Amino acid sequence: HFTQVEELNSLIGKVRGETEDIPQDNTGADQFDNKDRPILSILAQNMQDPDKLEEYNQLVNLITKFLLHAADISNPAKTEDLVKYWADGALVEFFAQGDKEKEMGLPISPLCDRDTVKRQDSQIGFIKFVIQPTFDLLGEIIPGVKKVVVPRIENSLEYWEREKLI
């Protein structure tokens, strides 16, 4: 996960840096300067450059993988009832794995020890260290994510922080 985020962030930064001085097209994208334009807009405008095609194809492939990954871990971006449902489902799986590891005499994987993992803490850490950076970066690719999804994630974090106090 973290390697993928780092690689995608690096490629986006590189594409933005290479396009800072490129004049913008007249498709409505001129409302942004190049550093603030959605990365998909920059790619669409500049895909014709044969010197950049391989790099842009690499970025498109990485974005596709990243979108699938983000969808897979998106439970904190859902409504509160679904946030709780998916958190509990994930912990059931993790604890079953931890039980099996313990039974086999193996070290118990992180978040898999039902005797030490606290539900609220696990979700707060997951949101802060995995979800927020993932969806902040996704917002660089799809600007609507910043407006719609990121606030839901913030609500989920607030929910788990309130639950921790109970």
Side-chain angles (χ1 to χ4, degrees):
H1 166 84
F2 297 108
T3 304
Q4 188 180 43
V5 168
E6 186 178 314
E7 184 180 1
L8 184 55
N9 216 357
S10 174
L11 278 171
I12 288 172
K14 186 175 180 183
V15 168
R16 284 196 191 287
E18 291 172 350
T19 60
E20 280 182 353
D21 299 324
I22 295 175
Q24 298 170 23
D25 61 15
N26 293 323
T27 61
D30 55 347
Q31 63 185 328
F32 304 99
D33 63 23
N34 279 330
K35 78 176 182 65
D36 294 327
R37 282 178 57 206
I39 195 68
L40 295 179
S41 172
I42 294 171
L43 287 174
Q45 180 181 350
N46 298 297
M47 285 295 275
Q48 312 310 321
D49 184 346
D51 296 332
K52 303 287 184 212
L53 194 55
E54 185 177 330
E55 180 181 358
Y56 287 174
N57 280 336
Q58 180 185 6
L59 182 56
V60 167
N61 288 333
L62 194 54
I63 287 171
T64 303
K65 290 176 188 175
F66 190 72
L67 287 170
L68 287 171
H69 177 63
D72 186 44
I73 63 171
S74 67
N75 57 302
K78 309 225 185 302
T79 59
E80 192 174 291
D81 57 329
L82 290 173
V83 164
K84 292 186 283 189
Y85 174 82
W86 285 108
D88 289 343
L91 288 173
V92 165
E93 283 185 37
F94 293 168
F95 292 158
Q97 176 180 327
D99 293 345
K100 191 69 168 172
E101 291 169 341
K102 188 184 289 186
E103 179 184 305
M104 296 173 68
L106 299 171
I108 300 174
S109 298
L111 297 176
C112 293
D113 189 342
R114 71 174 66 248
D115 298 326
T116 60
V117 171
K118 292 179 176 50
R119 178 177 177 232
Q120 295 85 349
D121 289 336
S122 71
Q123 296 309 299
I124 290 168
F126 180 58
I127 291 169
K128 285 183 175 180
F129 298 108
V130 176
I131 296 299
Q132 284 179 324
T134 298
F135 283 86
D136 286 345
L137 181 55
L138 189 56
E140 293 290 315
I141 301 165
I142 305 169
V145 168
K146 288 181 184 179
K147 295 175 188 164
V148 176
V149 180
V150 169
R152 283 186 179 244
I153 292 167
E154 290 167 359
N155 290 342
S156 292
L157 180 59
E158 290 168 7
Y159 167 78
W160 290 114
E161 288 173 338
R162 283 191 314 273
E163 284 292 303
K164 185 175 177 177
L165 298 175
I166 297 175

